[in-house]
């Protein structure tokens, strides 16, 4: 696709991917209500995932955390296989062993996922070191997604220092969603701490509106280009908001309703929809068709996941050792 | 007569915290979200003593160790036991060793709480019964209750103890209810096992969630004319060796059941104990029924398969009492994974 075309197609595609992520997450919420295991949804953070992942190419690797559905779907993961994984079935990306919290999909370049907060930061420099030392395709970089909470772990600084000093091709993506499980981040750090800490390590840092998918995308494109050209790491802090609870179910009784409302008014999907309508890139009919298509994909995914078998109990010891 | 109130294990822990904070102004509570989830403690004891922390286990534990050495009695909630890996340095290398290395100049009265076990289908980075790792660390005590009353009594004992205590809460038990003594001087001493059922043919020793598995097996066995004694260890370090030995000398058969994996686990220690100190009494080999030496899967079907089930215990005991009468086929492969079910016990539809 040439650049002209992409000016129209890119934003539309990004809207559609965000819709798919949202619909997927909402389906998991409903499944949880029917007894399935709970999940950490990325509702409200879709622009972060889509804006960054679309700026990567096939050579690149992704390392992520417990709130990974957006990253996986934006990378092209099949919602059916994701859902099967969450339900603990054999057709999931990890054969039901992971569940929602540690899904990796090597075929997609989503190489390691840790639900130990900070685990993603501890693993990513090694993946980048391997890229740099000739494993994987030349020019590949590593994007590591982590939360504002992970920035509180000491490993955050250890990873940044190593990446800078060893000149590792890494994009650090902090999805600052204001929450660290049941603790507001301002209870644990100064407002601008994350970007300042990162700057202290001596790498390029940018703070971006994480609910504006085009702003995220532009920043990510520039950062990725910079990393490929220099071989050195970059840091993006994406300001966003966790619209739902930490882990389903969660009544969010501890959340300030005014703050939640303010962020809901800046919902990333709504913002992109309004932008596209305003620019005449889509109309009501187009939006309805997009919504319908998304619904169908999730229905197909759900049917696939529910039809998938449970792993056989005697497979329990498979994959403990290579 | 002791007054009792029916409550969940989680409520019993909360009551223990409240009473001990009332009892001793040096007790403080720290952790990711403790102040959010226990607002009433903040209200009653102040934000100084009930602290939400940054998401940083290493410094939570390190701070607890430093504060304990300096006169406070910190209780830290580290959430899921696997997160203790980040805190391991402070707990194992500092709390467990610096009293000794300082020639007894300091003491470390602190409690570290972590949740373990199956039941939530959350996978191995949340679900790991790693209690034996801490049993292996000198200078630490380790407790792991099975009943709401013990959640209260052991937590209070842990807070009052002058040593670092690891308090493991089996998450499968947190919402189970039981009668809990109201008295605020109710303490369950660390290092004392509880006899949950009296029997004469076999001793079933367990702790945490699998105590109930043993009790159910004992009921099934009673229907078949076999009398099983059930011991709930409650404390893993120090271990109540006398309680186990006394029972084994009586029943002359020992089966140890736990969700944690078998290799170098509590069961191994008890088997060595029986072999070393009750050898003459044993009529049959000691059997361990444990979780497998594998990370815990999230899938409900695999989670079920990994956990010792009552039927497995019952079957093993039936073979054990027949020992000597016929060649036991199970002897060679009772471990690891000897407890694995071959069929899911229930079926789920979601
Ligand atoms: C080492 C560790 N500590 C605690 C947890 C429990 N936990 C899971 S996610 C989470 C909050 C993480 O906050 P953040 O890094 O901001 O990511 P977010 O959940 O907001 O996406 C916590 C405390 C964990 N998984 N790992
Ligand atoms: Mg966060």
């Amino acid at each position: 696709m040439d650049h002209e075309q992409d000016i129209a197609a890119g934003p539309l595609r990004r809207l559609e991917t965000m819709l798919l992520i949202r619909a997927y997450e909402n389906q998991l919420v409903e499944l949880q209500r029917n007894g399935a295991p709970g999940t950490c949804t990325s509702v409200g953070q879709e622009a972060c995932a889509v804006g960054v992942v679309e700026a990567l190419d096939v050579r690149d690797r992704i390392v992520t955390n417990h709130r990974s559905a957006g990253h996986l779907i934006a990378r092209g993961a099949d919602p059916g296989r994701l859902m099967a994984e969450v339900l603990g079935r054999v057709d999931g990306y990890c054969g039901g062993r992971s569940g929602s919290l540690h899904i990796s999909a090597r075929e997609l370049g989503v190489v390691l996922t840790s639900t130990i907060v900070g685990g993603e930061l501890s693993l990513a420099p090694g993946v980048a070191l391997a890229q740099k030392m000739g494993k994987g395709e030349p020019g590949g970089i590593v994007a590591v997604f982590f939360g504002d909470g992970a920035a509180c772990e000491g490993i955050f600084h250890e990873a940044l220092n190593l990446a800078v000093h060893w000149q590792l091709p890494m994009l650090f993506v902090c999805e600052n969603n204001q929450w660290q499980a049941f603790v507001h981040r301002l209870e644990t750090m100064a407002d601008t701490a994350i970007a300042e800490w990162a700057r202290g390590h001596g790498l390029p840092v940018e703070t971006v509106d994480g609910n504006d998918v085009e702003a995220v995308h532009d920043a990510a494109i520039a950062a990725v280009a910079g990393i490929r050209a220099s071989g050195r790491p970059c840091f993006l802090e994406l300001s966003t908001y966790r619209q739902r609870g930490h882990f389903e179910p969660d009544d969010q009784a501890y959340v300030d309703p005014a703050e939640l409302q303010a962020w809901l008014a800046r919902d990333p999907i709504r913002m992109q929809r309004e932008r596209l309508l305003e620019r005449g890139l889509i109309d009501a009919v187009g939006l309805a068709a997009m919504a319908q298509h998304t619904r169908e994909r999730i229905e197909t995914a759900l049917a696939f996941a529910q039809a998938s078998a449970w792993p056989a109990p005697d497979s329990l010891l498979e994959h403990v050792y290579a | 007569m002791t007054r009792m109130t029916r409550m969940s294990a989680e409520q019993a822990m909360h009551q223990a915290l409240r009473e001990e904070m009332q009892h001793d102004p040096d007790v403080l509570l720290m952790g990711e979200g403790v102040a959010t989830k226990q607002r009433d403690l903040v209200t009653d004891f102040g934000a100084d003593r009930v602290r939400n922390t940054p998401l940083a286990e290493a410094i939570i534990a390190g701070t607890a160790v430093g504060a304990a050495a300096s006169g406070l009695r910190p209780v830290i909630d580290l959430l899921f036991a696997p997160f203790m890996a980040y805190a391991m340095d402070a707990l194992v290398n500092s709390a467990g060793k610096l009293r000794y290395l300082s020639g007894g100049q300091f003491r470390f009265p602190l409690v570290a709480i972590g949740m373990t076990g199956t039941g939530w289908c959350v996978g191995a980075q949340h679900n790991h019964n790693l209690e034996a790792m801490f049993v292996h660390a000198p200078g630490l005590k380790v407790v792991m209750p099975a009943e709401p009353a013990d959640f209260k009594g052991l937590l209070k004992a842990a807070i009052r103890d002058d040593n670092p205590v690891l308090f493991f809460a089996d998450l499968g038990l947190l919402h189970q209810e039981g009668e809990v003594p109201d008295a605020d001087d109710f303490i369950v001493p660390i290092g004392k096992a509880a006899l949950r059922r009296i029997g004469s043919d076999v001793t079933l020793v367990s702790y945490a969630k699998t105590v109930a598995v043993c009790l159910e097996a004992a009921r099934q066995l009673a229907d078949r004319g076999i009398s099983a004694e059930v011991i709930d260890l409650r404390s893993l370090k120090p271990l109540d060796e006398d309680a186990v030995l006394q029972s084994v000398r009586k029943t002359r058969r020992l089966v140890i059941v736990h969700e944690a994996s078998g290799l170098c686990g509590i069961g191994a220690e008890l088997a060595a104990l029986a072999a070393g100190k009750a050898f003459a009494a044993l009529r049959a080999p000691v059997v361990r029924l444990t979780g497998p030496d594998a990370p815990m899967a999230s899938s409900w079907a695999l989670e079920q398969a990994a956990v010792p089930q009552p039927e497995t215990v019952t079957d093993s005991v039936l073979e054990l009492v027949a020992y000597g009468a016929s060649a036991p086929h199970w002897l060679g492969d009772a471990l690891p994974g000897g407890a694995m079910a071959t069929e899911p016990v229930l079926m789920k539809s979601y």
Side-chain angles (χ1 to χ4, degrees), chain A residues 300-311:
Chain A
T300 308
L302 179 63
F304 172 83
Q306 288 179 325
S308 178
W310 292 99

Side-chain angles (χ1 to χ4, degrees), chain A residues 287-305:
Chain A
L287 283 175
M290 212 182 247
Q292 175 63 19
H293 184 224
T294 304
R295 235 185 338 267
E296 283 165 12
R297 285 194 66 185
I298 294 302
E299 278 164 17
T300 308
L302 179 63
F304 172 83

Side-chain angles (χ1 to χ4, degrees), chain B residues 131-142:
Chain B
E131 54 275 7
M133 290 188 196
F134 289 93
V135 171
H136 210 70
L140 305 180
K141 296 185 179 182
V142 182

Side-chain angles (χ1 to χ4, degrees), chain A residues 66-67 115 117 147-150 177 179 181 246, chain B residues 32 55 57 83 86:
Chain A
H66 54 284
R67 218 174 285 286
T115 189
V117 171
D148 47 293
N177 65 3
W179 285 98
H246 167 55
Chain B
E32 299 155 14
L55 209 176
E57 291 75 11
F83 312 160
Y86 277 138

Side-chain angles (χ1 to χ4, degrees), chain A residues 31 34-38 86-89 95-102 113-119 122 149-150 152-155 180-183 187-188 247 254 306 310-317 320-321, chain B residues 31-37 51-59 82-83 86 120-126 292-303 305-306 336-337 340-344 347-350:
Chain A
L31 281 165
N34 294 331
V86 174
L87 297 187
R89 309 302 171 88
R97 278 168 172 67
S98 162
S100 71
L101 292 172
H102 344 63
T113 300
S114 173
T115 189
I116 297 297
V117 171
S122 80
C152 291
E153 298 277 8
I155 198 81
Q180 304 169 3
F182 310 107
V183 180
E187 222 185 307
T188 74
F247 183 83
Y254 53 90
Q306 288 179 325
W310 292 99
D314 62 9
S315 70
L316 184 65
L317 298 181
V320 178
Y321 293 101
Chain B
E32 299 155 14
V34 292
T36 315
K37 289 189 226 152
R51 291 171 177 263
N52 273 350
T53 62
L55 209 176
E57 291 75 11
I59 195 62
F83 312 160
Y86 277 138
W120 284 14
C121 297
V122 280
Q125 289 188 337
H126 284 77
D293 180 25
M296 284 295 187
S298 291
S299 177
W300 170 85
L302 295 178
E303 216 187 47
M340 281 159 52
T342 47
E343 304 271 333
M347 231 29 233
K348 283 230 182 200
S349 61
Y350 51 66

